[in-house]
Amino acid sequence: MKAYSTLKGVLDILQPEILLWNKIEEITRAVLQNFGYTELRIPIIESTELFIRGIGETSDIVSKEMYTFNDRAGRSISLRPEGTASLVRSYIEHGLNNTPQPWKYYYIGPMFRYERPQKGRFRQFYQIGAEFLGNAAPVADAEIISMIDTIFKALHLPDVTVEVNTTGCRLCRPLYRDALVGFFTSEASKTNMLCDDCKVRLVKNPLRVLDCKVPTCIELRKGAPLITEYVCDECREHDEAFKGFLNEIDIKYVENPEIVRGLDYYTKTAFEFTTEHLGAQKAVAAGGRYDNLVADFGGPKTPAVGFAIGVERLAELLRQRLDVYVCAPLIFFAVLGKEAQRMAFKLSTRYRQAGVYTEIGNALHTLKNQLKRADKMAARFVIIIGEEEINKNAVIFKDLVNHTQEEVPLEGVLGCIKGKQAAYNKQKINFS
Ligand code: HAM
């Protein structure tokens, strides 16, 4: 029979990795909540047009990487390649601008891009993203950086650098656009050597030539003008103030005028959190300001800034560092025979409803094997039920840590475990 496997660039997240993922989510959610963010669940499918208008028709994401199909009614649908466009759509659709500020939302979930899979680059990958709407001030950009920094500190993530840049606005970018076109058309040979996509980009959206991944285009753009040479006073002042706020909170940053980002909606601040431990896919988180997107989608003029963390990349960096514990059962029932299994099933249902983690052994296995399993799972207590115990309306209560064993009447069992829930065994997981 055919053996099925995951699609290329798509991962199953299994034990023990999933425990690390859960921990990342738990810690990140706690930090996001401390900064005033609430979760917004956005759909995985959207109309393709949303991404074309939001991210840009000439971006790699839209022109090459989206999973797009027609639904049964012939509408063009795409799997979301990112979360910002959907979140802004949702913000406008539900009139969230009429709810009290601050408008701070986060989302967690899979994104889809048909990229060439390699270390740290997948076709289905998870993002934890957050968007801060309604604040045009540079302090909002700094707050976003501070939040990512706080998340990474809470996760004990080492050796991450934040690279920052300004990408200009609708006032100054046309000047930069002209300068880029001038640079790439200054010699016919240069224009001819651009890849076919970039020849189109040069006409439609020259900035996108700057994030083309084709090696000849990367080579050709060496020496191209930088956006920082063309930004207007307002963008420059915003950038200076933003960096000033980072200095205030001692966040070290590197200015990288080559950060252009692969999505069209950015204005002013853009940033990437990078590391040398991930090979070519250096960015573990990235984002920036997008002051026009809400209005471009038909909403009220609303400045915004946000970011997304790549969870696979973060998990890769944390594999050896974060202490992850798996909860072990407080009670393991070892059962001998059908009647014992029935009794254990009833008792365990009561305990589980009382919030106690309980496992039941397999009645077809020997007592020895069930005890071995309880031991492997690091259970704290074992309750043994056999024919004799059923007749006496009692159980054998075994403490696996203190190595004691006693017969306890059925009504005394809860008393025995009462107050011991806090003593949950924890096993540290080793990812190596
Ligand atoms: P992005 O830079 O496209 O930005 O993605 C953010 C992060 O997602 C990256 O830094 C990386 O860690 C992760 N990532 C992206 N593509 C892949 C992939 N193929 N495989 C694994 N991880 C990947 C955005 O998506 C923007 N929506 C961020 C944003 C939010 N800007 C403003 N608000």
Side-chain angles (χ1 to χ4, degrees):
M1 202 166 99
K2 185 178 173 207
Y4 294 103
S5 56
T6 51
L7 300 175
K8 210 172 155 196
V10 174
L11 300 177
D12 289 321
I13 312 296
L14 310 172
Q15 277 245 51
E17 198 77 22
I18 192 66
L19 300 168
L20 176 62
W21 280 53
N22 290 343
K23 195 83 181 168
I24 289 173
E25 253 191 46
E26 180 193 319
I27 292 175
T28 307
R29 278 182 198 272
V31 175
L32 287 162
Q33 274 154 22
N34 274 349
F35 277 79
Y37 286 74
T38 49
E39 186 174 0
L40 206 158
R41 296 247 170 134
I42 43 178
I44 284 174
I45 51 173
E46 296 272 6
S47 76
T48 302
E49 200 191 324
L50 180 88
F51 300 118
I52 295 177
R53 284 196 52 198
I55 301 168
E57 198 178 359
T58 48
S59 64
D60 269 3
I61 295 178
V62 168
S63 63
K64 294 182 180 172
E65 295 168 1
M66 280 212 300
Y67 282 85
T68 298
F69 56 94
N70 281 347
D71 71 6
R72 288 173 192 274
R75 287 172 288 238
S76 182
I77 306 287
S78 291
L79 301 187
R80 61 182 185 198
E82 59 110 47
T84 311
S86 301
L87 193 130
V88 169
R89 192 241 341 111
S90 177
Y91 173 81
I92 299 168
E93 184 173 341
H94 301 290
L96 297 181
N97 56 304
N98 295 319
T99 60
Q101 287 212 41
W103 302 310
K104 294 175 165 182
Y105 309 98
Y106 75 88
Y107 48 89
I108 299 182
M111 308 293 160
F112 305 85
R113 296 182 193 174
Y114 193 81
E115 292 194 78
R116 199 145 45 81
Q118 55 172 258
K119 188 174 185 277
R121 190 160 77 191
F122 305 97
R123 290 185 173 162
Q124 173 175 322
F125 59 96
Y126 279 72
Q127 281 188 346
I128 302 177
E131 315 292 347
F132 184 1
L133 294 109
N135 193 335
V139 71
D141 311 25
E143 190 183 294
I144 286 282
I145 301 285
S146 161
M147 187 161 69
I148 304 168
D149 180 64
T150 307
I151 291 169
F152 288 170
K153 282 195 174 116
L155 290 166
H156 303 286
L157 183 69
D159 308 329
V160 195
T161 306
V162 51
E163 301 180 33
V164 300
N165 192 21
T166 176
T167 61
C169 65
R170 284 187 176 161
L171 262 184
C172 49
R173 211 173 290 152
L175 299 177
Y176 180 52
R177 188 191 148 107
D178 291 348
L180 273 184
V181 174
F183 174 80
F184 286 112
T185 52
S186 59
E187 297 158 39
S189 59
K190 208 182 262 173
T191 321
N192 288 339
M193 275 171 70
L194 285 172
C195 71
D196 288 345
D197 286 337
C198 279
K199 284 183 187 129
V200 177
R201 288 174 179 138
L202 197 58
V203 179
K204 287 192 170 174
N205 189 356
L207 254 85
R208 291 280 67 94
V209 176
L210 298 176
D211 53 55
C212 176
K213 292 162 196 136
V214 174
T216 46
C217 297
I218 295 176
E219 192 56 33
L220 277 178
R221 63 178 180 247
K222 284 184 181 157
L226 297 170
I227 179 75
T228 36
E229 298 158 12
Y230 292 86
V231 288
C232 61
D233 287 349
E234 192 196 314
C235 287
R236 195 177 307 282
E237 278 161 27
H238 185 100
D239 190 44
E240 289 305 321
F242 159 61
K243 289 182 289 196
F245 282 114
L246 295 186
N247 293 335
E248 292 285 344
I249 53 171
D250 287 329
I251 289 190
K252 308 265 172 289
Y253 54 85
V254 173
E255 290 178 61
N256 180 353
E258 289 184 352
I259 293 180
V260 282
R261 312 281 299 121
L263 307 99
D264 275 358
Y265 48 64
Y266 290 108
T267 52
K268 295 183 177 159
T269 308
F271 58 83
E272 289 181 0
F273 281 73
T274 57
T275 167
E276 294 307 317
H277 302 301
L278 283 174
Q281 306 308 313
K282 284 171 33 168
V284 62
R289 177 164 282 285
Y290 50 99
D291 287 344
N292 301 319
L293 190 61
V294 182
D296 286 351
F297 277 0
K301 189 159 174 38
T302 310
V305 55
F307 74 93
I309 295 174
V311 180
E312 288 77 4
R313 295 184 192 177
L314 185 56
E316 179 62 29
L317 292 170
L318 289 173
R319 291 182 132 259
Q320 311 291 340
R321 297 198 159 254
L322 204 62
D323 283 349
V324 176
Y325 295 93
V326 57
C327 260
L330 187 67
I331 297 181
F332 185 100
F333 283 95
V335 287
L336 299 166
K338 277 189 182 160
E339 189 52 23
Q341 186 151 52
R342 197 184 58 80
M343 194 160 146
F345 183 62
K346 274 178 76 173
L347 283 173
S348 67
T349 304
R350 266 175 59 200
Y351 299 167
R352 285 167 177 164
Q353 283 171 356
V356 174
Y357 174 16
T358 309
E359 288 285 350
I360 309 176
N362 186 334
L364 298 176
H365 294 171
T366 61
L367 177 62
K368 194 173 158 202
N369 280 343
Q370 290 185 57
L371 290 178
K372 257 194 200 161
R373 193 171 147 225
D375 204 42
K376 259 203 167 144
M377 294 184 84
R380 178 78 171 86
F381 303 108
V382 174
I383 291 178
I384 304 173
I385 310 178
E387 211 172 301
E388 207 183 313
E389 285 75 36
I390 294 168
N391 291 336
K392 285 193 204 160
N393 222 11
V395 299
I396 293 175
F397 196 81
K398 217 169 149 52
D399 182 330
L400 292 192
V401 172
N402 296 321
H403 307 290
T404 58
Q405 180 169 319
E406 58 187 313
E407 191 177 278
V408 178
L410 209 49
E411 58 291 358
V413 177
L414 259 185
C416 259
I417 55 170
K418 217 174 171 185
K420 287 181 176 161
Q421 207 180 330
Y424 249 71
N425 269 346
K426 281 181 170 181
Q427 280 178 305
K428 196 171 159 185
I429 294 289
N430 187 355
F431 283 91
S432 53

